Amino acid sequence: MGNIAEYIKMAFKNITANKGRSFLTMLGIIIGISSVIMVMAVGDGTANAMNAEVQDLGSGQISVYCSDEAINAEAWITPEDLAMMKEKIEGVEGVTPNDGSSGSTMTGKGEFAVTLSGGTEDLQKALNFAMKRGSYFTAADVEEGNLVCVLSDSDAKRLFGSDDVVGMDIEVTINGMIGSYRIVGVTQQKENTSFISYTYDGMPVSLDVPYTSFAAFGWESDSFYSATVFANDKESGQEVVHDIIHILETRHQCAGEEYYQIQSFQDMLTEMNSMLAIVTTFISCVAAISLIVGGIGVMNIMLVSVTERTREIGIRKSLGAKTSSILLQFLAEAAILTILGGIIGILLGLLGAMGACSLMTASMGSVIHPGIKASTILGATLFSCGIGVFFGIYPARKAAKLSPIEALRRN
């Protein structure tokens, strides 16, 4: 133990004796470690911010689709199927068909394209917008097919110049037929964020309506291509998915036919995170190349150090120093160089990540905190130590193998 402490002391003495050269030797390690730390922290922070925004949309959403086989067999999803899911499946808070149409409307502000999203009263859960005025349409409205609608405050202002529009009517033309919808509620439109856009220039006015109201335009909504199920516990998502498929296959007598496909919100979130992780890992690997360059720099400088200290090595060996002692001395010096470079790189990487996240927060309008993980810092530290030892082995072995006579003769 005493010998190791002596080697470390000698290594620090040699490093401080050539401060400029030592710093340049560490520079590659510093750049590599700081780049990896910064990229990983910014990547994790971006993923966390993105997940938080996406989760706000409603993490329990499960989409059900008819496959081509179901379409060919006309095994559509029916209102009775949805009612059964809501009644029988534990953990389901609501269900709605994904029905809709498009048309146009004319107000004092001009003519506007209109998109109608038809569903049950549970459609409100899809985007989780808060009500600003009035209330959402009810189950009674759905049952009776009432021509009522809900729109956002921004769309209300586009149509009428004000969001105080509850009780007013909107005449909607669809396929040449006109229906007058009574506004019963106005939602608080969320602002666009860095990752999710709720509005764009020129987008149609969007109305949420009971799917049964489409009967006023000449068609009955009694079968659907897709539907959305709202589960109250994301952890029980797989069990809910199994129950959804079981109910549909039982009611349509198509077990094993793969008529229905499921895509849960968590599946989409997992895919998104996997893609982001791949990009972050790739960039980190590119940044880590500079660590290899830094390691080669350490090896070159250590070879120079061996050449400069040949006489010292010869004297030590002639006085009885073991080959292992010389080897450990030079390995200690290489390891300390890379450890110091790694520590500086970690600190600079963390500072860089904080600065980058601050700039992203200021420019993108979404709060992003660097995702600093202890595992990332530990991995970077161990990797920098490994680089020092790996690239220090050759110079250290070369120094250790010098014979005393040859070493003294060179000077």
Side-chain angles (χ1 to χ4, degrees):
M1 193 72 181
N3 289 337
I4 294 176
E6 186 64 26
Y7 298 147
I8 294 174
K9 182 178 178 181
M10 292 173 64
F12 272 112
K13 182 178 179 181
N14 289 318
I15 290 170
T16 54
N18 299 280
K19 295 182 179 66
R21 189 171 73 183
S22 298
F23 176 74
L24 292 175
T25 303
M26 292 186 294
L27 192 58
I29 302 295
I30 293 172
I31 293 173
I33 292 293
S34 61
S35 299
V36 172
I37 292 290
M38 182 175 173
V39 169
M40 294 294 288
V42 172
D44 288 342
T46 302
N48 293 338
M50 187 183 302
N51 287 341
E53 288 188 8
V54 175
Q55 290 279 7
D56 188 49
L57 288 175
S59 59
Q61 293 187 28
I62 301 172
S63 297
V64 190
Y65 302 91
C66 291
S67 66
D68 291 339
E69 290 78 7
I71 294 172
N72 293 333
E74 297 188 355
W76 304 98
I77 300 170
T78 66
E80 292 75 22
D81 295 335
L82 301 180
M84 183 72 72
M85 293 176 196
K86 188 171 183 178
E87 179 184 348
K88 298 295 184 180
I89 301 177
E90 184 178 355
V92 169
E93 287 186 334
V95 293
T96 181
N98 298 326
D99 203 2
S101 186
S102 60
S104 62
T105 187
M106 179 75 72
T107 69
K109 294 289 185 177
E111 185 174 6
F112 298 87
V114 177
T115 297
L116 294 91
S117 298
T120 67
E121 69 281 3
D122 293 325
L123 182 60
Q124 182 181 10
K125 303 177 187 296
L127 292 178
N128 198 25
F129 289 167
M131 296 302 302
K132 185 174 183 179
R133 297 181 185 274
S135 60
Y136 210 77
F137 60 80
T138 65
D141 291 322
V142 176
E143 185 176 349
E144 296 169 12
N146 293 336
L147 286 133
V148 293
C149 69
V150 176
L151 75 169
S152 69
D153 53 357
S154 61
D155 281 341
K157 291 173 183 176
R158 289 169 62 195
L159 291 172
F160 303 105
S162 169
D163 59 21
D164 188 10
V165 295
V166 173
M168 297 177 64
D169 293 330
I170 301 177
E171 283 195 348
V172 178
T173 303
I174 302 175
N175 297 330
M177 300 185 67
I178 299 176
S180 182
Y181 278 93
R182 175 67 54 87
I183 301 173
V184 295
V186 178
T187 61
Q188 179 72 56
Q189 177 69 61
K190 294 185 179 181
E191 296 182 0
N192 292 341
T193 63
S194 306
F195 308 106
I196 300 173
S197 178
Y198 297 100
T199 60
Y200 59 87
D201 292 338
M203 71 179 293
V205 170
S206 180
L207 304 180
D208 288 1
V209 302
Y211 75 90
T212 50
S213 68
F214 292 136
F217 296 94
W219 72 85
E220 295 289 339
S221 295
D222 55 4
S223 59
F224 312 102
Y225 166 72
S226 66
T228 301
V229 178
F230 303 96
N232 60 16
D233 184 2
K234 65 181 181 180
E235 299 300 331
S236 63
Q238 289 304 316
E239 185 176 344
V240 171
V241 166
H242 178 270
D243 291 341
I244 290 171
I245 294 295
H246 177 72
I247 285 177
L248 288 172
E249 290 185 340
T250 300
R251 286 184 53 80
H252 294 275
Q253 299 180 0
C254 59
E257 299 292 338
E258 297 185 357
Y259 275 10
Y260 305 101
Q261 300 172 349
I262 300 286
Q263 186 174 37
S264 71
F265 189 91
Q266 290 302 315
D267 291 338
M268 292 186 287
L269 198 60
T270 300
E271 290 178 9
M272 181 179 65
N273 285 333
S274 297
M275 293 175 62
L276 187 60
I278 290 171
V279 173
T280 302
T281 301
F282 174 75
I283 298 175
S284 298
C285 290
V286 173
I289 292 174
S290 59
L291 282 173
I292 307 300
V293 177
I296 295 172
V298 170
M299 183 172 64
N300 289 337
I301 295 300
M302 293 304 299
L303 285 170
V304 172
S305 181
V306 170
T307 302
E308 289 179 347
R309 293 156 62 187
T310 301
R311 186 174 181 81
E312 174 196 331
I313 294 169
I315 293 173
R316 288 190 63 196
K317 296 199 74 172
S318 65
L319 293 175
K322 297 180 179 180
T323 298
S324 59
S325 298
I326 303 296
L327 180 67
L328 287 174
Q329 178 188 342
F330 279 87
L331 277 179
E333 191 168 329
I336 288 172
L337 278 172
T338 51
I339 290 172
L340 290 175
I343 292 172
I344 296 172
I346 289 170
L347 294 175
L348 291 178
L350 294 177
L351 291 174
M354 292 177 183
C357 288
S358 297
L359 289 174
M360 292 171 67
T361 297
S363 62
M364 299 172 68
S366 182
V367 178
I368 300 175
H369 301 289
I372 300 170
K373 295 181 179 178
S375 58
T376 302
I377 295 175
L378 179 61
T381 304
L382 294 176
F383 193 71
S384 65
C385 293
I387 286 286
V389 172
F390 180 80
F391 285 99
I393 287 176
Y394 176 69
R397 283 174 60 85
K398 184 175 181 181
K401 288 182 177 181
L402 286 175
S403 68
I405 296 174
E406 181 183 353
L408 292 170
R409 185 186 297 154
R410 288 188 184 181
N411 291 308

